[in-house]
Amino acid sequence: MLDVTVIEDSAAAAVSLDPMRSRLLAELAAGPASATMLAGRVGLPRQKVNYHLKALERHGLVELAGERRKGNVTERLMRATAASYVISPLALAAVQPDPGRFRDQLSARWMLAVAARLVRDVGTLITGAAKARKRLATYALDGEVRFASAAARAAFVEELTQGVGALIAKYHDEDAPGGREHRIVVALHPTVKNPPAAPAVEAEEPSA
């Protein structure tokens, strides 16, 4: 099972966003389970759980982990293909954000467009690297800083801009034979202290 995977297909995105199917993905990320086992956990008839699992399996969100005999029945044990999922802007290709439309380093919405492009591009690279069975060379830095004042924050931004700009100027080689371009994204935003929790999913009423 992967730690995280990117959903690029719009149909797979729609399947994953169904509240009950999202709940099933969460259950299967914790460990393999059969439709019968899941039915008891989510409060649905086994037939309905099977219906949802087949939809998830068609789009590669769950996979067969094994089989087991239970009386005269062979149960399929399913598992999630990843512990968590991210939906790429490619799933909404016609309306995906484009940072190239405007550039405003102090705009939160421009930052969001840059972050969306990051998800899209890294997702595409992961897919390509997996198909080629190659390792993807990436690097990420995550941290927090507490500023004493708005002035301190502004000074930090200025020094950060100068420092990163100096590194780019030092290592960028336009004419390097065999060189490969890399994108650098640096973002600064207030910390979200209490991220919103996932909404509760109400079980459907069993059909008569």
Side-chain angles (χ1 to χ4, degrees):
M1 179 191 297
L2 300 172
D3 290 333
V4 60
T5 194
V6 179
I7 298 174
E8 298 177 328
D9 178 68
S10 59
V15 167
S16 70
L17 289 172
D18 177 88
M20 181 51 68
R21 291 170 182 170
S22 179
R23 168 78 183 279
L24 292 173
L25 282 176
E27 293 288 344
L28 292 174
S34 67
T36 301
M37 295 165 63
L38 291 168
R41 298 177 192 173
V42 302
L44 283 183
R46 179 179 57 82
Q47 293 84 352
K48 282 194 173 182
V49 172
N50 259 326
Y51 170 77
H52 290 309
L53 289 177
K54 287 178 181 178
L56 292 168
E57 187 177 13
R58 280 196 304 271
H59 294 285
L61 301 175
V62 303
E63 62 187 3
L64 182 66
E67 296 180 335
R68 70 175 185 179
R69 293 285 297 178
K70 190 173 182 181
N72 296 325
V73 178
T74 299
E75 288 189 330
R76 302 176 80 225
L77 296 174
M78 307 301 294
R79 66 184 173 197
T81 54
S84 57
Y85 300 84
V86 175
I87 296 178
S88 169
L90 286 176
L92 293 169
V95 292
Q96 63 179 305
D98 180 10
R101 290 176 188 159
F102 68 99
R103 182 182 179 88
D104 181 356
Q105 290 177 305
L106 300 180
S107 167
R109 297 189 185 280
W110 185 72
M111 178 188 290
L112 191 62
V114 171
R117 182 184 61 192
L118 178 66
V119 170
R120 182 198 67 194
D121 290 353
V122 174
T124 299
L125 290 168
I126 288 174
T127 300
K131 289 180 179 178
R133 296 185 177 181
K134 292 183 178 180
R135 184 175 179 179
L136 183 60
T138 60
Y139 168 78
L141 176 66
D142 180 36
E144 288 191 33
V145 56
R146 183 181 177 90
F147 296 111
S149 64
R153 179 185 181 280
F156 176 88
V157 168
E158 184 177 354
E159 289 188 40
L160 181 65
T161 302
Q162 292 175 354
V164 173
L167 283 173
I168 291 174
K170 178 179 179 180
Y171 288 100
H172 179 69
D173 190 339
E174 188 69 37
D175 302 317
R180 182 174 182 179
E181 294 182 348
H182 287 66
R183 183 174 297 281
I184 300 168
V185 176
V186 179
L188 178 69
H189 62 81
T191 302
V192 178
K193 292 299 184 181
N194 297 302
V201 177
E202 293 185 4
E204 300 177 17
E205 290 295 329
S207 57

